[in-house]
Amino acid sequence: MKYYYYRIAPAIAVLCFSLIMMASATAQTFSDDFQDGKIYLKFKDTESITYTVDEDNNVAISSVPVISRLASEYNITGLSRPFYINNDAKLLRTLMLEIADYQLIEQIIEKLKKDPALEYAEKVPLDKVSYLPNDSLYRLYNGPQNWNWHLELIQAELAWDITTGNPDVLVGIVDNAVWADHPDLAGKIVAQRDVIYGINSSNPPGTGDPGEWSHGTHVAGLVGGASDNNIGVASIGFNVNLIAVKAANNSTPRSISGGYQGIQWAANNGADVINMSWGGSNYSQTNQNIINTISAMGVVLIAAAGNDNVSAPHYPSAFQNVISVASIDYNDAKSNFSNYSTTIDISSPGGVASPGPSGVLSTTYSSGTMGNFDSYIGTSMASPVVAGVAALVLSMNPDLTPTEVENILKTTSDDISVQNPTYNGMLGAGRVNAFAAVTSTPFEPTAAFTTPVNIIVPGTAIDFESLATGVPSTWLWNFEGATPSTSSEVNPENIFYHEPGNYDVTLSVTNQFGISTLTLTDYIQVTTSPIPYVFITISDSVPCIAQTVILSDSSLYEPNSWAWIIEPSTFEYVNGTNATSQSPEVSFLMQGHYHVTLSATNQNGTGTRVYTNAINVSGIAPPYTLDLEDGTSGYFILWDSTKSQTAVDFRAANNSMKGLHFHGDPIPTGWKGHPTTGTPEQVWTENPTFMSEAYLCGVDARTFTNVKLAFDLRQTYSLGDKYSWFRVLVNGVPVSDFEGRTNFNPLTAGADPWQRVEFDLTPFAGLIFDVTLQACNRFSDKVQGEGDNVFVDNIEIVNSVSVNAPKSNEGISVFPNPATDMINIKLDGITQNSVAEIVNTRGKVVYRAMLQEGTTLHEIATHNLVPGLYLVRVMKNGTQILSAKVVLTER
C-alpha cells in the first residue's frame, strides 16, 4: 500500500411470474417470489431417517413414507437432497420436493406440516439479482480487510441497480500520466493526449519510479476502470468511458505543468466531466478564466481539495465553477490529512478503513503483490469517486448543466456534521451518496410493463409488473374489462378478467420531472379457446458434455402434442424420448450455447416459443491450455467453503501475471489434525469447511488414445506443513502423478519452489470425464507468515503422455476383452479390502463391488449393460490402482 499526499509546488499545479387460473374452483399460481413447484422439507434432528440417496443425490420417493403417500395423490416430478457438500447434519436432513401441480403447492405444504417427522416445509424462494460486479479484486478476501469500503460507504451497489453508467458519458482524467494499456483500463480510454509533448499518448514515459507514475492510472481506475469483466477492480462509473491526458514532464511525475492545457484539450475532445487530482496554493485569474470557459461549455469540473490539513485556499479546487472534494475515512470522519474550508463543496472516501486497508484500491502502473493494483490514500482518491458519481448522474440525464449536477451531488449527500463537530461548514454539504444522487436525478420517466401471459381464459386473474424507468413516484393503471379496473400499485396483482374479448391496458407513471403514458391496444386476449401458451423448464441450463438434461413442457391450456427443435444439432435424445415427447431427455455432444424451440398444440391450435441460448453446455476437448492471464478460471468452476478461499489473482502467478490461488481462513478454528503429524485421510475427511476446488466437467477424450494433465504447483505453510494439502481427482477419485504422489504437501519450510507436475490420464482416454483440483488449507494468505496456500498456474490437458509414465501393475488383468455377458478381474491377491467399479463413457459408475482381502479373481455380470466402451478400475483407500478399457459387444 502506498500513501499519496500529492503536494503541488507554488505556481505550478502538482499533482416469473404470477398467474392465477380461476377455472372452476381451482387456482394455479406462478410466483415472482418463489420457484415454481419446489418445496423444502426438513426432518427433525431427533428423527431417524433411512431414505435412499443415489450418487446424483436423488432420493427414492418410495424410501420416504411421507412423500410416498403424497405420490399417490399428486404429480411428483422429483425428490433430492440438494445440500450435501458440507456434510452438515441439518442440511443432510433437508430435501427438495418438486411437483408439477403448481397450483396445489400450498395444499401440499399443509399436508407435509402435519407429518410429525418433519420440522418444517416451505416454498423455495426465487432469488433476484441485486447488482454485484464479478471483478476478481472486488470480492478480494484478505482476512478482515474490506477492500471496497469506499464503494459500500457511498452505496455504489444500490446505485448500479439504477444505472451502471452510459458509455457515451466521457470523464477526462487530466493527471501526470495514465497507463492506457492497463488490463482494467484497456478498451475504456476513447482518446488520449500528452499535452507536454504534443503526442496522442497518455502513457508514462517508461523511465523513473513506476510508483510515482501510477497516480493518474490510479485515479482513472477509480472513475471508470472496466467493471464486471472478471478481473481487477470495479469502478463507481462502471460503464462510463475515459479521456486520458498526460500533463507532466517526463522527468517530473509529481508536477502537473500542463494541467490547464490538459483540461482544455479534454473539454474540446468530448469530456462531460473532468477530474483534477492536483493543485496548489496560488490563485490565477487566467486559470479561473479557463475554468469559467470550460464550465460554460457544459463540462462538470471536479478537483481534490489538497492534503495539507489546512483551511487555506487550494486551486483549482477553490475556483468558482469547480466542485471541491475533501477526504473522509470509513466512519465519515475527516481524514487527518485532508484540507478543510468553506470552499469545500462535498466530501468523499479517500482515507482509511477499519479494519484496513489504508486508502482505496485501484489500478496502478507499478506492480506489487496484487499485480498492477494497489491501495492509495489522499484527496486525489476522493475526487475521482465524486467524478464517477457525477458521470452516473449524467448517464441518467445527459442534458443537465454543471450547476444542476453539483446541486444534485450536494442535496443528496449524507450529513456528516455529527462525526466532524470541529469542522462544521468546512467539509461541504456532506459525504457523497451515489444511490441518492442517481435516484434524485431529474429524469422524465418512461412507462413500460409486462405480464407473465396475455392470452387467458375467462375467470383468470393475472399480475402486472412495471418496467418503467426514470424512478417514478406514482403509477396509475387502467385495465379495460377487468376487476379492479384501476390500480395505483407499482405491480398490481390479481387483476380478474371475466368475459371473452380483447382489452387495452394503460400505465401512466410520473415523477417530479414529468409524466409518461403507455397504452397497449388489445393487449389482454380473453378467449374460451386459447392455443397453448408455451412455457418450458430445463433441469440444468448449464450442464456438462454428455450429461442428461430434461426439457419439460409447462405450457398452459393442456397441449396434447409437442414438437421440439434444438440447435445446433450436436445432441441426441436419450432414454427412449424424442422430438415429440412432452418431456424429452437430451444429451449434448459439444460445448456451447443451444437454442430450444417448442411448438405445443391443443384442439385450438399451436403455440410456439423460442428460447435463445437456453442451454450453455460446459466441457473441453484436449488439447486444452489455461494460463489464467485474463483473470478468469476458463472452463474451471471455482468453489470454496466457509473457511476457504479460491480466486485467480496475482499472488499465484509463475513467471506471469495471474494464477489460481487456494487458501484458508484468518480464524482457523475447527481444523482437525496436528501441524506435523496430521494425515491426508484426516484432512480430506474431517476438514470439509477448509476445502476449496477448481472443477472442470466434461473433458471429452473420446477420440484420443492417451491423455495427460500437467500444471505448475507451489505450496506454502504457516505453522506446520500438514496445514496445506492438495490433490487431483478424476470423476471424484484421487489419482497419482507420474511419481506416484496422490497427496501433495509442502516440503520446504515456509514455501516450496514451483514444480511441474504431470498426471497420466490415459485410462480415461476414449471417455468423457471430470477433473477436480482440490485443496485443503488452514490459514489464509499471509495471516501467519506465508499462510497456507496452494498456487496453480499454466494448466494443460493434452493428448500426449510423458515417457516417464508408470508401467501397468503386473499380475492384474481384465478379460475377456471384448466381452459380452461377463468380465473377469484377475489379481495376484490384494492385501486389504478394495473396490471394483465399471464406469461408462459419460463418467457414471454403473457397477461397484467390494473386493475382500486375498481376492484373486472377481467376476462381473455385464448382461444388463448396453454395448459400448467402459472403464474398469480397482481402488484401494480411495486411490486408483488399476484401470483398463473394456468393450462390451452385442449379444
Side-chain angles (χ1 to χ4, degrees), residues 386-400:
V386 174
V389 176
L392 290 184
V393 168
L394 289 173
S395 296
M396 295 287 293
N397 185 347
D399 297 325
L400 295 173

mmCIF file with all atom_site columns, all heavy atoms in Angstrom, residues 386-400:
data_model
loop_
_atom_site.group_PDB
_atom_site.id
_atom_site.type_symbol
_atom_site.label_atom_id
_atom_site.label_alt_id
_atom_site.label_comp_id
_atom_site.label_asym_id
_atom_site.label_entity_id
_atom_site.label_seq_id
_atom_site.pdbx_PDB_ins_code
_atom_site.Cartn_x
_atom_site.Cartn_y
_atom_site.Cartn_z
_atom_site.occupancy
_atom_site.B_iso_or_equiv
_atom_site.pdbx_formal_charge
_atom_site.auth_seq_id
_atom_site.auth_comp_id
_atom_site.auth_asym_id
_atom_site.auth_atom_id
_atom_site.pdbx_PDB_model_num
ATOM 1   N N   . VAL A 1 386 ? -16.062 11.089 -6.600  1.00 0.00 ? 386 VAL A N   1
ATOM 2   C CA  . VAL A 1 386 ? -17.136 12.041 -6.897  1.00 0.00 ? 386 VAL A CA  1
ATOM 3   C C   . VAL A 1 386 ? -17.302 12.193 -8.405  1.00 0.00 ? 386 VAL A C   1
ATOM 4   O O   . VAL A 1 386 ? -18.427 12.284 -8.917  1.00 0.00 ? 386 VAL A O   1
ATOM 5   C CB  . VAL A 1 386 ? -16.856 13.401 -6.232  1.00 0.00 ? 386 VAL A CB  1
ATOM 6   C CG1 . VAL A 1 386 ? -17.889 14.435 -6.655  1.00 0.00 ? 386 VAL A CG1 1
ATOM 7   C CG2 . VAL A 1 386 ? -16.841 13.245 -4.710  1.00 0.00 ? 386 VAL A CG2 1
ATOM 8   N N   . ALA A 1 387 ? -16.200 12.213 -9.150  1.00 0.00 ? 387 ALA A N   1
ATOM 9   C CA  . ALA A 1 387 ? -16.292 12.325 -10.602 1.00 0.00 ? 387 ALA A CA  1
ATOM 10  C C   . ALA A 1 387 ? -17.065 11.146 -11.192 1.00 0.00 ? 387 ALA A C   1
ATOM 11  O O   . ALA A 1 387 ? -17.851 11.313 -12.138 1.00 0.00 ? 387 ALA A O   1
ATOM 12  C CB  . ALA A 1 387 ? -14.895 12.411 -11.209 1.00 0.00 ? 387 ALA A CB  1
ATOM 13  N N   . GLY A 1 388 ? -16.834 9.948  -10.634 1.00 0.00 ? 388 GLY A N   1
ATOM 14  C CA  . GLY A 1 388 ? -17.578 8.788  -11.103 1.00 0.00 ? 388 GLY A CA  1
ATOM 15  C C   . GLY A 1 388 ? -19.055 8.891  -10.804 1.00 0.00 ? 388 GLY A C   1
ATOM 16  O O   . GLY A 1 388 ? -19.903 8.502  -11.624 1.00 0.00 ? 388 GLY A O   1
ATOM 17  N N   . VAL A 1 389 ? -19.419 9.429  -9.630  1.00 0.00 ? 389 VAL A N   1
ATOM 18  C CA  . VAL A 1 389 ? -20.835 9.615  -9.298  1.00 0.00 ? 389 VAL A CA  1
ATOM 19  C C   . VAL A 1 389 ? -21.455 10.649 -10.232 1.00 0.00 ? 389 VAL A C   1
ATOM 20  O O   . VAL A 1 389 ? -22.587 10.482 -10.716 1.00 0.00 ? 389 VAL A O   1
ATOM 21  C CB  . VAL A 1 389 ? -21.001 10.027 -7.826  1.00 0.00 ? 389 VAL A CB  1
ATOM 22  C CG1 . VAL A 1 389 ? -22.467 10.311 -7.513  1.00 0.00 ? 389 VAL A CG1 1
ATOM 23  C CG2 . VAL A 1 389 ? -20.463 8.940  -6.903  1.00 0.00 ? 389 VAL A CG2 1
ATOM 24  N N   . ALA A 1 390 ? -20.737 11.731 -10.510 1.00 0.00 ? 390 ALA A N   1
ATOM 25  C CA  . ALA A 1 390 ? -21.236 12.736 -11.446 1.00 0.00 ? 390 ALA A CA  1
ATOM 26  C C   . ALA A 1 390 ? -21.498 12.119 -12.814 1.00 0.00 ? 390 ALA A C   1
ATOM 27  O O   . ALA A 1 390 ? -22.483 12.455 -13.492 1.00 0.00 ? 390 ALA A O   1
ATOM 28  C CB  . ALA A 1 390 ? -20.242 13.887 -11.555 1.00 0.00 ? 390 ALA A CB  1
ATOM 29  N N   . ALA A 1 391 ? -20.626 11.203 -13.233 1.00 0.00 ? 391 ALA A N   1
ATOM 30  C CA  . ALA A 1 391 ? -20.823 10.533 -14.515 1.00 0.00 ? 391 ALA A CA  1
ATOM 31  C C   . ALA A 1 391 ? -22.066 9.653  -14.498 1.00 0.00 ? 391 ALA A C   1
ATOM 32  O O   . ALA A 1 391 ? -22.778 9.546  -15.507 1.00 0.00 ? 391 ALA A O   1
ATOM 33  C CB  . ALA A 1 391 ? -19.591 9.701  -14.859 1.00 0.00 ? 391 ALA A CB  1
ATOM 34  N N   . LEU A 1 392 ? -22.368 9.006  -13.365 1.00 0.00 ? 392 LEU A N   1
ATOM 35  C CA  . LEU A 1 392 ? -23.601 8.231  -13.256 1.00 0.00 ? 392 LEU A CA  1
ATOM 36  C C   . LEU A 1 392 ? -24.821 9.146  -13.342 1.00 0.00 ? 392 LEU A C   1
ATOM 37  O O   . LEU A 1 392 ? -25.834 8.793  -13.976 1.00 0.00 ? 392 LEU A O   1
ATOM 38  C CB  . LEU A 1 392 ? -23.629 7.443  -11.945 1.00 0.00 ? 392 LEU A CB  1
ATOM 39  C CG  . LEU A 1 392 ? -22.659 6.278  -11.795 1.00 0.00 ? 392 LEU A CG  1
ATOM 40  C CD1 . LEU A 1 392 ? -22.905 5.558  -10.467 1.00 0.00 ? 392 LEU A CD1 1
ATOM 41  C CD2 . LEU A 1 392 ? -22.775 5.294  -12.947 1.00 0.00 ? 392 LEU A CD2 1
ATOM 42  N N   . VAL A 1 393 ? -24.753 10.308 -12.704 1.00 0.00 ? 393 VAL A N   1
ATOM 43  C CA  . VAL A 1 393 ? -25.856 11.268 -12.779 1.00 0.00 ? 393 VAL A CA  1
ATOM 44  C C   . VAL A 1 393 ? -26.098 11.675 -14.228 1.00 0.00 ? 393 VAL A C   1
ATOM 45  O O   . VAL A 1 393 ? -27.236 11.712 -14.708 1.00 0.00 ? 393 VAL A O   1
ATOM 46  C CB  . VAL A 1 393 ? -25.549 12.486 -11.895 1.00 0.00 ? 393 VAL A CB  1
ATOM 47  C CG1 . VAL A 1 393 ? -26.533 13.620 -12.178 1.00 0.00 ? 393 VAL A CG1 1
ATOM 48  C CG2 . VAL A 1 393 ? -25.598 12.098 -10.422 1.00 0.00 ? 393 VAL A CG2 1
ATOM 49  N N   . LEU A 1 394 ? -25.031 11.981 -14.968 1.00 0.00 ? 394 LEU A N   1
ATOM 50  C CA  . LEU A 1 394 ? -25.173 12.351 -16.370 1.00 0.00 ? 394 LEU A CA  1
ATOM 51  C C   . LEU A 1 394 ? -25.614 11.169 -17.221 1.00 0.00 ? 394 LEU A C   1
ATOM 52  O O   . LEU A 1 394 ? -26.215 11.364 -18.287 1.00 0.00 ? 394 LEU A O   1
ATOM 53  C CB  . LEU A 1 394 ? -23.862 12.931 -16.894 1.00 0.00 ? 394 LEU A CB  1
ATOM 54  C CG  . LEU A 1 394 ? -23.501 14.323 -16.368 1.00 0.00 ? 394 LEU A CG  1
ATOM 55  C CD1 . LEU A 1 394 ? -22.099 14.719 -16.814 1.00 0.00 ? 394 LEU A CD1 1
ATOM 56  C CD2 . LEU A 1 394 ? -24.521 15.360 -16.847 1.00 0.00 ? 394 LEU A CD2 1
ATOM 57  N N   . SER A 1 395 ? -25.325 9.977  -16.790 1.00 0.00 ? 395 SER A N   1
ATOM 58  C CA  . SER A 1 395 ? -25.833 8.805  -17.501 1.00 0.00 ? 395 SER A CA  1
ATOM 59  C C   . SER A 1 395 ? -27.346 8.729  -17.396 1.00 0.00 ? 395 SER A C   1
ATOM 60  O O   . SER A 1 395 ? -28.011 8.230  -18.313 1.00 0.00 ? 395 SER A O   1
ATOM 61  C CB  . SER A 1 395 ? -25.201 7.521  -16.932 1.00 0.00 ? 395 SER A CB  1
ATOM 62  O OG  . SER A 1 395 ? -23.806 7.500  -17.138 1.00 0.00 ? 395 SER A OG  1
ATOM 63  N N   . MET A 1 396 ? -27.894 9.196  -16.278 1.00 0.00 ? 396 MET A N   1
ATOM 64  C CA  . MET A 1 396 ? -29.344 9.252  -16.121 1.00 0.00 ? 396 MET A CA  1
ATOM 65  C C   . MET A 1 396 ? -29.946 10.367 -16.956 1.00 0.00 ? 396 MET A C   1
ATOM 66  O O   . MET A 1 396 ? -31.001 10.199 -17.571 1.00 0.00 ? 396 MET A O   1
ATOM 67  C CB  . MET A 1 396 ? -29.688 9.463  -14.637 1.00 0.00 ? 396 MET A CB  1
ATOM 68  C CG  . MET A 1 396 ? -29.307 8.322  -13.728 1.00 0.00 ? 396 MET A CG  1
ATOM 69  S SD  . MET A 1 396 ? -30.382 6.883  -13.907 1.00 0.00 ? 396 MET A SD  1
ATOM 70  C CE  . MET A 1 396 ? -31.932 7.538  -13.274 1.00 0.00 ? 396 MET A CE  1
ATOM 71  N N   . ASN A 1 397 ? -29.280 11.508 -17.007 1.00 0.00 ? 397 ASN A N   1
ATOM 72  C CA  . ASN A 1 397 ? -29.790 12.657 -17.758 1.00 0.00 ? 397 ASN A CA  1
ATOM 73  C C   . ASN A 1 397 ? -28.619 13.461 -18.294 1.00 0.00 ? 397 ASN A C   1
ATOM 74  O O   . ASN A 1 397 ? -28.045 14.289 -17.589 1.00 0.00 ? 397 ASN A O   1
ATOM 75  C CB  . ASN A 1 397 ? -30.670 13.533 -16.864 1.00 0.00 ? 397 ASN A CB  1
ATOM 76  C CG  . ASN A 1 397 ? -31.329 14.662 -17.631 1.00 0.00 ? 397 ASN A CG  1
ATOM 77  O OD1 . ASN A 1 397 ? -30.971 14.954 -18.763 1.00 0.00 ? 397 ASN A OD1 1
ATOM 78  N ND2 . ASN A 1 397 ? -32.304 15.310 -17.010 1.00 0.00 ? 397 ASN A ND2 1
ATOM 79  N N   . PRO A 1 398 ? -28.244 13.247 -19.557 1.00 0.00 ? 398 PRO A N   1
ATOM 80  C CA  . PRO A 1 398 ? -27.073 13.927 -20.115 1.00 0.00 ? 398 PRO A CA  1
ATOM 81  C C   . PRO A 1 398 ? -27.287 15.404 -20.393 1.00 0.00 ? 398 PRO A C   1
ATOM 82  O O   . PRO A 1 398 ? -26.334 16.103 -20.753 1.00 0.00 ? 398 PRO A O   1
ATOM 83  C CB  . PRO A 1 398 ? -26.819 13.158 -21.416 1.00 0.00 ? 398 PRO A CB  1
ATOM 84  C CG  . PRO A 1 398 ? -28.148 12.606 -21.789 1.00 0.00 ? 398 PRO A CG  1
ATOM 85  C CD  . PRO A 1 398 ? -28.838 12.285 -20.490 1.00 0.00 ? 398 PRO A CD  1
ATOM 86  N N   . ASP A 1 399 ? -28.517 15.906 -20.227 1.00 0.00 ? 399 ASP A N   1
ATOM 87  C CA  . ASP A 1 399 ? -28.810 17.304 -20.531 1.00 0.00 ? 399 ASP A CA  1
ATOM 88  C C   . ASP A 1 399 ? -28.625 18.229 -19.334 1.00 0.00 ? 399 ASP A C   1
ATOM 89  O O   . ASP A 1 399 ? -28.876 19.434 -19.433 1.00 0.00 ? 399 ASP A O   1
ATOM 90  C CB  . ASP A 1 399 ? -30.249 17.442 -21.055 1.00 0.00 ? 399 ASP A CB  1
ATOM 91  C CG  . ASP A 1 399 ? -30.447 16.696 -22.374 1.00 0.00 ? 399 ASP A CG  1
ATOM 92  O OD1 . ASP A 1 399 ? -29.487 16.663 -23.170 1.00 0.00 ? 399 ASP A OD1 1
ATOM 93  O OD2 . ASP A 1 399 ? -31.540 16.151 -22.584 1.00 0.00 ? 399 ASP A OD2 1
ATOM 94  N N   . LEU A 1 400 ? -28.191 17.700 -18.213 1.00 0.00 ? 400 LEU A N   1
ATOM 95  C CA  . LEU A 1 400 ? -28.025 18.539 -17.031 1.00 0.00 ? 400 LEU A CA  1
ATOM 96  C C   . LEU A 1 400 ? -26.843 19.495 -17.194 1.00 0.00 ? 400 LEU A C   1
ATOM 97  O O   . LEU A 1 400 ? -25.841 19.167 -17.827 1.00 0.00 ? 400 LEU A O   1
ATOM 98  C CB  . LEU A 1 400 ? -27.778 17.654 -15.798 1.00 0.00 ? 400 LEU A CB  1
ATOM 99  C CG  . LEU A 1 400 ? -28.923 16.725 -15.372 1.00 0.00 ? 400 LEU A CG  1
ATOM 100 C CD1 . LEU A 1 400 ? -28.455 15.813 -14.247 1.00 0.00 ? 400 LEU A CD1 1
ATOM 101 C CD2 . LEU A 1 400 ? -30.137 17.524 -14.952 1.00 0.00 ? 400 LEU A CD2 1
#
